Amino acid sequence: MTSSDRSASRRTVLTALAAATAGAPFLGQLAAASPAAAADPLEYPSNTAMYTAIGAEEGTTFGRRHRRHERFDLSLTAKAEHPRTAVLALHGGGIEIGTSELCLGIAGYSPSDPAGAPVLPSVHDYFMFEGLLSSGNKALHVTSKNCDDHVALALAASHLNVLSLHGCTFDQLKLPTASFPAAGDRRVAVVGGLNPAFRTALVTELTAAGFPAVDSFAAPYAATLADFNGSHTANPCNRTMLGMGGQLEMTTELRQSLFDDSSSRSARAATWNGAFVAFRDACRRAVATVEAAQPIL
């Protein structure tokens, strides 16, 4: 594709996005204008590029939510706790369904009432970028290593750990069929990020909770899952104080299983189920395991 073709396709995407916020069906417009673009819309090269192009549509086309918990130390003698782990959903809402709700849950909040009081005894800071369109949210996807949202990066840089949540399809993973037959259980969590202790804790806890989980760096998966292992140093999961973190790539079937109705943001917020709680708690146990080996001196 030539640079002029890419520019034309990008204009098509932006035009359709603008119209979608006015109520017109996004995918229908995009397909009519450019079938190739509808099948595989171009990604924005960064969050900055996206915000520059469609920033006026925040709240209709996309949204951002984050929470940093106030902590302070006014004592010369007592040692105050410091936040060690943040949770990110860089492709939340309708982009990679279920990741926003899990982000809130793992952080200690209810997806049904994210602005309310914590529902768990300990909380974590979090950031979410969410696609809000009824369809066509894939056009809002920015590859993790290209994320330059200031809040997301500031959050990562101020924590020892990040758990970044993502979605994928089972077929994208190309897992060995002897281990994961296509007709079998397609609920899979691929564990990545550059922190090996975090990966081990996540695989251990998720497996014990009944969710198939694999370490993307371990044999026999390392070569197959190279594109899903969260190894890039620019990936926000690794832009922590330690230069390493954890990432989960979860198949569609896994994410759907966490809700009685996964068809919309409102449905997911209202129908998260026992499997959601089990997955949430497994991730929180993994975080606690990692944090236990990271005392604040």
Side-chain angles (χ1 to χ4, degrees), residues 35-272:
D40 187 18
L42 295 176
E43 282 197 354
Y44 289 94
S46 66
N47 290 75
T48 295
M50 181 192 301
Y51 302 155
T52 300
I54 58 170
E57 299 171 20
E58 184 162 6
T60 53
T61 294
F62 70 91
R64 291 176 282 181
R65 289 186 283 172
H66 74 275
R67 182 174 297 209
R68 301 193 72 154
H69 298 87
E70 183 181 23
R71 291 177 174 91
F72 50 86
D73 184 353
L74 303 179
S75 172
L76 293 175
T77 56
K79 182 172 62 176
E81 186 58 45
H82 185 276
R84 283 174 279 182
T85 302
V87 189
L88 305 182
L90 302 178
H91 308 135
I95 305 173
E96 293 168 357
I97 65 164
T99 57
S100 294
E101 292 78 15
L102 275 174
C103 180
L104 289 166
I106 296 168
Y109 293 89
S110 168
S112 307
D113 183 23
V119 295
L120 296 174
S122 63
V123 293
H124 302 289
D125 295 347
Y126 64 79
F127 170 87
M128 298 178 287
F129 175 91
E130 300 175 273
L132 303 180
L133 298 171
S134 59
S135 62
N137 286 286
K138 184 177 179 180
L140 301 171
H141 184 282
V142 173
T143 299
S144 294
K145 66 183 177 63
N146 295 333
C147 174
D148 63 351
D149 183 283
H150 292 181
V151 176
L153 296 188
L155 206 63
S158 62
H159 288 72
L160 296 173
N161 315 297
V162 159
L163 177 57
S164 190
L165 306 170
H166 298 270
C168 62
T169 67
F170 180 87
D171 292 334
Q172 283 178 310
L173 300 177
K174 297 181 170 51
L175 288 164
T177 54
S179 302
F180 299 93
D185 191 349
R186 294 164 67 93
R187 301 174 308 139
V188 182
V190 173
V191 183
L194 291 177
N195 187 332
F198 207 169
R199 295 199 310 271
T200 297
L202 285 164
V203 171
T204 299
E205 293 294 348
L206 288 171
T207 301
F211 300 97
V214 298
D215 186 335
S216 57
F217 285 74
Y221 309 109
T224 304
L225 297 176
D227 290 339
F228 300 90
N229 66 12
S231 63
H232 202 288
T233 56
N235 186 322
C237 80
N238 298 317
R239 298 183 69 167
T240 65
M241 295 171 68
L242 301 177
M244 58 183 182
Q247 176 176 287
L248 290 178
E249 287 274 5
M250 299 165 286
T251 61
T252 304
E253 290 81 3
L254 172 55
R255 288 174 284 126
Q256 288 176 334
S257 74
L258 307 180
F259 308 91
D260 294 336
D261 182 355
S262 63
S263 62
S264 67
R265 292 173 62 247
S266 59
R268 291 190 296 275
T271 67
W272 48 285

Side-chain angles (χ1 to χ4, degrees), residues 2-59:
T2 67
S3 59
S4 61
D5 290 336
R6 284 193 293 269
S7 298
S9 296
R10 169 56 66 205
R11 287 193 297 273
T12 300
V13 170
L14 293 178
T15 300
L17 275 169
T21 63
F26 172 75
L27 286 181
Q29 297 172 70
L30 196 54
S34 174
D40 187 18
L42 295 176
E43 282 197 354
Y44 289 94
S46 66
N47 290 75
T48 295
M50 181 192 301
Y51 302 155
T52 300
I54 58 170
E57 299 171 20
E58 184 162 6

